[in-house]
Amino acid sequence: MENTQPFTANFISNGSEVGKLIHAYDWSSTPLGTMASWPKTLQFSLNMLLHTNLPMMLFWGDRSLCFYNDAFLPLLPAGKQTLVPGKAAAELWPDTWPAIQPAVNQVRSNGDPVSHDNDIFARYSHNGHSCHHHHHYSPIQDETGLRVAVLLICTQTAQNKHEKSAVSAQHFKGIVEQAPNPIFIFKGEDMVLAMANEPLLRIWGVNSDAIGKPMLDTLPELKGQGFMEMLLDVYHNKHIVTGKEKPAVFHRPDGRKETMYFNFVYQPYKEADGTVSGVLVIANDVTEQVVARKRLEESELRFRALVMATSDVVYRMNPDWSEMQNLVGRGFLTDTEVPTPDWLKKYIHPDDQPHVQALIKKSVQTHSVFELEHQVFRQDGAIGWTFSRAIPIHDEAGNIIEWFGAASDITQRKRFEQELESTRDELRVSKRLYEAVTASTPDLIYIFDRNYKFIYANQALLTMWGRTWEESVGQGLLALGYEPWHAEMHEREIDQVIATKKPIRGEVAFPHSVMGYRMYDYIFAPVLNEAGEVEVVAGTTRDISDLKVAELALKHSEEQFRTLTQSLPQLICTADIHGYCDFFNQQWYDYTGSHAEDAEGKGWMMYVHPNQRELLYDKWERSLKSGESLAFEFQLKARDGHYQWFYIVGNPIKDEDGEILKWVSALTNIEEQKAVEEKLEQLVNERTGALQRSNDDLEQFAHVASHDLKEPVRKIKTFVDRLEHDGETKLSEKGSSYLNKINTAANRMYDMIEGVLNYSSIDNAEQPLSSINLNETLNSIELDLEILMNQKKAHIVYEGLPTVKGAPLLIYQLFYNLINNSLKFTRLDTPPLITVTAKKAAKMGIPYLQIDVKDNGIGFEQTQAQKIFNSFIRLNSKDKFEGTGLGLALCKKIVERHQGYITASGAENEGAVFSIFLPDIN
């Protein structure tokens, strides 16, 4: 059951004056409701606030309900130090709230902390001195990330500006060192411990040498427990993270692992200039509360099980006993499965009803246990006696939610009380005598009379029953909780001892009052009088539960293992720590045709192929010495004399201390797999050869095609050039226009051929990989495009770009194409501005470097973002913008060759952004 009120118990124990005010106040009529219904975030924040010596004020909710700690009391207005927290800020500080409200609203609105120095609280100084404080306002978020409160932390500052920094730092350090709870500061990416107080060092189990070292260097076991991730989240994203009952596992010097639980707040730590340099942590050790709660939950479960196992009647009542919820009578009383208002008349004898009602009234008023012996109507209609005991079940606010009760049939005890009274003195003498002998043994020692009644029971037996001496002596087996079959068995055994005058021994299970059902070994022995007759029967019983459990577990485990091995298709064998094989499953014998005497020990090695026998034997010996698993492929001889391939895996079975107890090996037949692998390898070799020939042919074709396709285009360009510069040839204006179109088409055809060849040869080009400084790459591109950039009055902005790993020529071509693309698709009367930036990114947990190339050109519709990377795709007319339609397709292929990917985003007439994601080599 989760503790929804983790801070309440600490108010009184820690002497917190404000905590006492909160705990004693009736919150049920306030907007917050009862403390049990308060949000977890409010509970945790108060728990942290009330356990620190730093003056703090919490402004909760839209009304800014104020909660503060003892350290804040001197800052409150005179006469309001005893005012119960939880009042609205406007009511608590009518004069000051207008000055504070803007900072609170700002933090609640945008989530950014606010800090400033002022003298707002100087008017409330009660010591005769002026108080100057540094105020730090931080947001508090709930489990969903919603900002629900603002935390104000006040630290006293110096009055002199020149002293302020030193005094503030010294004051803060003094507060940290004197705080009873862990307060500490981490700095930088590695979370170096910059400041810590004694409570933290004590919890960590280290000394002050840990200051100045990264957290994971001091406590490497914290890696993977989530703390480093949360700290880095706060450090990078500059928000506050809270935790409740977060477990932390520490590896102590003595080898044990200790789990502790903490409530904590992580918030960005800012330097004087406002930059975040680390994380401030305020924590509270709640290990005792968590462990105690868990123990309480386990105890409640055991208690209910115990009651069900040891009581004749179990029942449940509503809070005021006006209705019985249910009753399990177990043959003694009539069962009730539905709520019953008239239970008193149904079960309780009229003579005892007033007494029962009076005790109920008292128990309900005082929340005390109901405990009474009274008469009842039994299931058979007769009148019986019962001892009834009921305890109140409370909710977290202390209200009774139901009563849980158990009742025992004491009818026989009541009937024999008169008879027992006459023999009580004699029994007391016997009791003292036997107790002197048996008080020091954990075994159960007891004596039966000839009528099966216990006339003696030592303390160990009374503890097992959960009864006193007076409740037990003179009782029979049934009255003491023995089931009928159990009681009848012991009565027969007592009769046998009396008849034969010989001891008898047996084993039986019986419920212990605390430990539940246990297994016992017992001996009944005759005690003879002077006449040689059996006067009484003495018994001793020993608890052998642990031994039986161990025996049964071992037997069950062995049976399960053998059953499992016989159902598996693998060949299974086991060996001792020296490698002596002592068990083979039936599949081994069916395959090899061997017998146990042939395979045991090291005989099984004779079935291994001679070519692999020595190597397997050496590997097996190395595994036995090192304790490492064995894995090996070898051929094993079948009953028909042929060998087949098997894969053996041998693993050690270890105890709790890591000592090897046994080896278990499984042999899997991989003959078919080997044949398939052989065939597959042959097929792969054949297809690889064919593919290589195809690639060679394709490459040769590309070179031939390059020459054959470019040659006619070159000739067209040559003759066009001659016509243009031939003085004797005079063309009309229309002829010159046609000639210009021919030249333009030839140039486009030449570029198209070059682009196709580049695109098709990217995958086959063998480019060495090296580290590439992108700043140098862009500088080279800027020089190469200098003329075009001057013509268009373009600017490229980049700085501090990272180093990537790749093929230098391809990376150059990638960024050249993108920048050239941005220079090509520009808007009229708008000078091109190209910005190149870089940052870290991640996709599916894989780290990438994201390089964005952004321009202010014509852009494109976002619906075309995927289409533009396809070959020969043009979004604009070739008459307006030149191009082959291969540039971006080539960029995509280059990025993918570097195990990355590229995306595009844009809007028409608003520019475009091309984002390149390359693996982060760091």
Side-chain angles (χ1 to χ4, degrees), residues 359-377:
L359 187 57
I360 289 173
K361 181 178 180 181
K362 177 182 177 182
S363 297
V364 171
Q365 290 175 345
T366 61
H367 290 215
S368 58
V369 175
F370 173 90
E371 198 171 76
L372 184 65
E373 291 184 0
H374 57 83
Q375 299 175 86
V376 294
F377 293 114

Side-chain angles (χ1 to χ4, degrees), residues 345-356:
K345 180 179 178 181
K346 179 178 180 180
Y347 292 107
I348 310 302
H349 192 280
D351 294 345
D352 288 342
Q353 287 181 12
H355 194 188
V356 170

Side-chain angles (χ1 to χ4, degrees), residues 645 670-680:
W645 281 96
I670 59 171
E671 181 69 19
E672 292 184 4
Q673 179 183 332
K674 278 288 186 180
V676 172
E677 287 178 357
E678 213 171 281
K679 191 171 182 180
L680 183 59

Side-chain angles (χ1 to χ4, degrees), residues 326-345:
N326 76 303
L327 180 144
V328 180
R330 297 186 178 180
F332 176 52
L333 301 180
T334 304
D335 292 346
T336 293
E337 298 180 356
V338 297
T340 305
D342 61 341
W343 63 273
L344 193 71
K345 180 179 178 181

Side-chain angles (χ1 to χ4, degrees), residues 71-123:
F72 207 94
L73 287 175
L75 306 182
L76 291 176
K80 293 196 176 184
Q81 285 79 11
T82 59
L83 186 64
V84 175
K87 302 295 184 182
E91 176 185 347
L92 183 64
W93 285 335
D95 299 331
T96 308
W97 176 239
I100 301 175
Q101 187 177 15
V104 173
N105 290 345
Q106 180 181 345
V107 174
R108 182 180 286 117
S109 174
N110 59 28
D112 294 330
V114 172
S115 298
H116 56 72
D117 295 332
N118 58 44
D119 300 331
I120 286 179
F121 299 111
R123 72 188 69 178

Side-chain angles (χ1 to χ4, degrees), residues 819-833:
I819 292 174
N820 193 38
N821 203 57
S822 295
L823 293 173
K824 183 189 306 180
F825 297 101
T826 58
R827 288 182 287 170
L828 294 176
D829 302 326
T830 301
L833 176 61

